Amino acid sequence: MKHKIFKNMSYIALITVVCTTVFLSAVAYGRYMSQVKEGIQNEAGYMAESLNQHENQSLDAYKDITISRITLISSDGKVLYDSTGKENSMGNHRNRKEFKEARKNGAGESTRVSRTLNKQTYYYAVRLTDGSVLRLSRETQTILNQVEGVLPALILMMAVVFVLALALSRLLTGRIIEPINRINLEHPEEETTYDELSPLLVRIHRQNEAIKEKIREIKEKQIEFTTITENMSEGFLVLNEKSVVLSYNTSALRILDIDKEQCSNQNVLSINRSHEFRDAVEMALGGEASEEVMEFHERKFLLMANPVTVSGAVKGVVLMMIDVTEKEEREELRKEFSANVSHELKTPLTTISGYAELMKDGLVKQEDIERFSEKIYTEARRLISMIEGIIKLSRLDENKIVQEKENVDIYQLALEIKNSLSMAAAESGIDIQVLGAPSQVSGVRQMLYEMLHNLVENAVKYNNNGGHVFVTAASMEGRPTLIVEDDGIGIPPEDEERIFERFYRGDKSHSSEREGTGLGLSIVKHGAKYHNARIQVESEVGKGTKIAIIF
Ligand code: ADP
């Protein structure tokens, strides 16, 4: 811009200087010529006056007082006198313009330029009374001579103008540009600069507003997206076509056990090298959705990779990682459970069907019928309680219990259970004592009842004749706690871990003497989990068992 202003100013200055010079030269030349002409005309006028009054005067007398050349021409054009003294060699002048005009009008003039154009002569002729013509002439400057004369001054002037234009253009450019530089493009409307710039600034302002609006919309969408993905427990990764991570959520970092730096803009295949992970990503990059189960840090994740296509070409992959450890475990347990159920139900049913068959075929002696019926009855009861246990566990498994929680006094509960089991206990001469004080637990009453019932029932069942059972319900260290303690047969250390498994029954030799399904403690474990309670087992073979539930 500076350069352009300078160039334009230089052009203007140059044109102005040239035009002014030409104009002034022309004016000066005109003045010069009119002065020269006036001088010669005056001179000619005086001399003609003198010659008219005094005929036959010698013109040589005038030669020394004027710089003009004096020529006297006869009426027929013959040169009679010339102050250069060359009158004899001069031709006839009758066709000369000034001569003809003087002859005709009394006075005539003419300006002639020499061939070389360097010289110019002005002629002025006056007719004398005798008919001859007096002519005065003088060499004058041509306009070119005049311009030549002022040329050095002109060049100097142009140089000065050039320097001035340079300085001025700098100053001007600075002044013109300064308000433009001052414009804040963020808020162009705030600055009032040039009116001519107003439409542009208004437009910039509008565009700024439009851009701000777009950015705000994009930010909102980004926040929405981040809020959704960040609240997902599933891992979420967006990859480009080169498997580089473009976006991720915190769950993805947690699942892959990496930090932000190890994730953003990294190739995902270098983050996890398991072949399931690679297969899922590569298949999606090949344009096909894929699902794989990957094991990582002892947990199982379902990988769901979907290709992102733009006009038919795969441009990236969206990868979801879902923790399916519990689901898989549950599935595994359910399978195991179904197998166990079939097996466990088969045993009493086989016994029942065997005894019944013998009785049907009349192969049982009359005196054995009661024993056989008793056996069938016992097995049938075992079958019923087993099925009840299975139903309870299935309900717990499927979280079908939607009963409202209520405040349950576990001390009161212990007393109720003591009552319901007192008959069975009395049969074996076992004494049940309830200790502690009223203590409230927020929970499902029925479930709490079953839990404690199973524990006390076991304490009676796996006890010796004349044994003791202590049920304590109280708040210990600020937590409602239930403790069932017996001085029975105890649990071998190797069994302690397994007694909560479904259908697990301790040492068969003593278990066979005692009725049981192996489901009682499974229900206790599930119930404790449902109530966020902790179970503690302390036991010694031959001395007794102490099982505590801390809520
Ligand atoms: P069940 O009593 O029907 O066999 P449980 O799940 O209630 O099934 O108990 C599992 C196993 O744990 C029992 O078979 C038994 O061997 C052991 N057990 C449970 N409670 C006691 C206890 N108080 N004393 C000794 N052994 C116990």
Side-chain angles (χ1 to χ4, degrees), residues 11 14 41 80 98 105 116 122 132 243 268 284 288 333 422 425 449 481 496 503 507:
Y11 285 149
L14 206 71
Q41 283 166 12
L80 301 172
E98 69 278 6
N105 306 324
T116 54
Y122 175 69
S132 60
S243 318
V268 82
E288 267 183 65
L333 272 175
S422 57
Y449 183 92
T481 308
E496 265 182 41
F503 299 113
D507 188 353

Side-chain angles (χ1 to χ4, degrees), residues 16-18 20-21 24 151-162:
T16 313
V17 166
V18 170
T20 313
T21 310
L24 285 179
L151 207 59
L154 188 71
I155 291 168
L156 185 72
M157 213 155 88
M158 283 204 301
V160 171
V161 164
F162 187 75

Side-chain angles (χ1 to χ4, degrees), residues 382 454-463 484-486 488-492 495 498-507 510-511 514-524 539 544-547:
R382 194 161 100 87
N454 289 351
L455 288 178
V456 181
E457 196 181 32
N458 281 352
V460 173
K461 209 161 50 171
Y462 302 105
N463 214 322
V484 179
E485 202 172 352
D486 64 66
I489 61 168
I491 305 164
D495 276 1
R498 304 201 58 196
I499 52 174
F500 292 96
E501 286 175 20
R502 291 167 189 197
F503 299 113
Y504 185 81
R505 303 206 66 209
D507 188 353
H510 67 250
S511 294
R514 298 165 168 92
E515 275 184 25
T517 58
L519 294 174
L521 288 184
S522 297
I523 293 169
V524 173
S539 186
T545 304
K546 180 179 169 186
I547 299 181

Side-chain angles (χ1 to χ4, degrees), residues 2-20 158 161-166 169:
K2 214 178 246 182
H3 184 67
K4 200 164 179 183
I5 291 178
F6 169 66
K7 222 162 84 178
N8 287 343
M9 280 193 69
S10 300
Y11 285 149
I12 293 169
L14 206 71
I15 291 165
T16 313
V17 166
V18 170
C19 287
T20 313
M158 283 204 301
V161 164
F162 187 75
V163 172
L164 275 177
L166 189 71
S169 68

Side-chain angles (χ1 to χ4, degrees), residues 473-486:
S475 179
M476 295 180 189
E477 291 172 6
R479 290 177 166 275
T481 308
L482 272 173
I483 302 170
V484 179
E485 202 172 352
D486 64 66

